[in-house]
Amino acid sequence: MHIPLVEELRLASPMDSSLILALILAVALALLLHLLTSANNKPRRAKQVPPGSLGLPVIGQSLSLLRAMRANSGERWIQDRIHRYGPVSKLSLFGAPTVLLAGPAANKFTFFSRALAMQQPRSVQRILGEKSILELVGADHKRIRGALAEFLKPDMLRLYVGKIDGEVRRHLDERWAGRTTVTVMPLMKRLTFDIISLLLFGLQRGAPLQDALAADFARVMDGIWAVPVNLPFTAFSRSLRASARARRLIAGILRETRAKLETGEASRSSDLIACLLSLTDHHSGAPLLSDKEIVDNSVVALVAGHDTSSILMTFMVRQLANDPDTLAAMVQEHDDIAKSKGDGEALDWEDLAKMKYTWRVALETLRLVPPMFGDFRRALQDVEFDGYLIPKGWQVFWVASVTHMDPGIFPEPARFEPSRFENQSPPCSFVAFGGGPRICVGMEFARIETLVTMHYLVRRFRWKLCCKKDTYARDPMPLPLHGLPIQLEHKVSPCVM
């Protein structure tokens, strides 16, 4: 006959009752431990991907963003998205699912997280090359960056100042002097292309090969940020063809340079190609870079070395046209430098160190009109930011204007004020050159180009804008209206060095 447990306890002896109670407690503890262990072993609920929409397949929000950039409303497009979804949102750009991140903390995460690798849109990768510094990660990236740094180390940069000085003076003599009107953007692009092609490839101005390369690179830039559809009538297709032609030209220069190195007609310091060909592995003695790596990274260096600098200087000219106080302060700085030098003497490294105000003007110009609208990274693994999941393989997109135009970081952000850069900006807020391990390797080179050019420009000329409407669009780089035509006036006694 079954006796209920309570009745069993009542009928049992005191010793039996204690034993039974101990067994019950043990079973209860074991059951509780099992429940807790089971709960911990259950897979955790996955983090949510950010809010937003991926839009149509392949196209996503690419065309919408590009239209906004061309209408000079790209910054507002980004801000509208932030207001709608918050500082972290998902979308699709250039054929890939993407997470937009906004703010200094997002910039820091993007620049320093080891879970993210550099990632350009597929269009950029195919046009600029899969072996470029923009695409490589880990040891390969470190090797390529180290090779480029050899070309851009301080003792090499000192040698370039005189060459750049000569190119700037010849350019102003041939293309600015004696004219009453000029269009600034194409002239600046030609100047910086002449400088960079001389230092990268040893090409002299006016050489047929240099002219062919210049024409191809103008077309290359048209499809950098484009929907990667390779049809004959698309900008992407035209850029691919131009890139292929440019690569063949650079490959030919590489072969000629290798032959000159073997015969002693060229040295490691002759140009970038000679420098990269001369580098060898410390252990094996084998060439440090393959020919394809040299070609791909020469393409990137050519784009970065002439396109962004020309935009910066064009927009400095635009700013100075309507900013007499800033112009007067710059002129004073450069006149003082000129007085300390002999007649006709070229600028040197020490002169550039005195151009502090001019460089602050350049930085403030970059804050307001950064040449690069934004940039991409790729998640190497599932990674979390601000409580959201960024799945492996997705793009991460950051935009410079989010922090550049934040009044909490830069008070009255629309006002042009070079004194902002008398002190260092808050970390990861001024990002015109990127940040972290992948900060622009050519930043110091851009500084030299800019300072030398502006020195001669402000001392030789005055100018006024021809267009009453002072605006610009992005395609994807900023382009001033009609290329920024200006009325040019020569100073009476330029006292050109």
Side-chain angles (χ1 to χ4, degrees), residues 65 74-75 78 100-103 107 225 370 372-375 397-404 431:
L65 174 59
E75 287 81 4
I78 294 293
L100 169 67
L101 301 181
N107 288 345
W225 276 22
M372 289 301 297
F373 183 77
D375 207 356
F397 183 43
W398 63 269
V399 179
S401 66
V402 173
T403 51
H404 285 195
V431 292

Side-chain angles (χ1 to χ4, degrees), residues 73-136:
S73 59
E75 287 81 4
R76 187 167 66 247
W77 190 95
I78 294 293
Q79 287 298 333
D80 287 347
R81 186 168 190 85
I82 292 172
H83 290 153
R84 182 176 181 182
Y85 296 113
V88 184
S89 64
K90 72 171 181 282
L91 66 164
S92 176
L93 291 175
F94 312 111
T98 305
V99 175
L100 169 67
L101 301 181
N107 288 345
K108 182 178 180 180
F109 168 75
T110 303
F111 297 149
F112 291 96
S113 174
R114 294 185 178 182
L116 302 179
M118 199 75 173
Q119 171 70 43
Q120 298 299 321
R122 181 61 179 158
S123 56
V124 176
Q125 183 189 75
R126 292 186 62 187
I127 291 168
L128 298 186
E130 61 185 17
K131 294 294 185 180
S132 81
I133 191 173
L134 300 180
E135 298 295 334
L136 299 175

Side-chain angles (χ1 to χ4, degrees), residues 391-439:
K392 178 182 178 180
W394 281 35
Q395 292 181 147
V396 172
F397 183 43
W398 63 269
V399 179
S401 66
V402 173
T403 51
H404 285 195
M405 300 304 291
D406 185 340
I409 300 172
F410 298 103
E412 298 182 70
R415 181 168 56 87
F416 189 88
E417 184 49 71
S419 64
R420 299 181 199 274
F421 292 94
E422 290 177 358
N423 301 306
Q424 194 169 5
S425 305
C428 299
S429 58
F430 177 71
V431 292
F433 295 104
R438 288 182 177 267
I439 194 168

Side-chain angles (χ1 to χ4, degrees), residues 172-184 187 460-466 484-491:
L172 294 178
D173 286 342
E174 294 174 4
R175 299 177 184 267
W176 294 62
R179 290 168 171 77
T180 56
T181 60
V182 297
T183 304
V184 179
L187 287 179
R460 292 185 62 174
F461 304 102
R462 299 184 186 92
W463 56 87
K464 296 179 181 178
L465 300 182
C466 291
L484 197 68
I486 59 173
Q487 296 177 4
L488 204 59
E489 178 186 346
H490 296 68
K491 291 189 175 180

Side-chain angles (χ1 to χ4, degrees), residues 123 242 258 434 441:
S123 56
R258 178 179 281 125
V441 70

Side-chain angles (χ1 to χ4, degrees), residues 150-169:
E150 282 292 312
F151 177 70
L152 295 167
K153 61 186 181 182
D155 60 331
M156 296 287 281
L157 290 172
R158 286 174 178 269
L159 299 176
Y160 306 151
V161 176
K163 293 181 179 180
I164 293 172
D165 181 283
E167 286 295 319
V168 170
R169 287 201 270 182

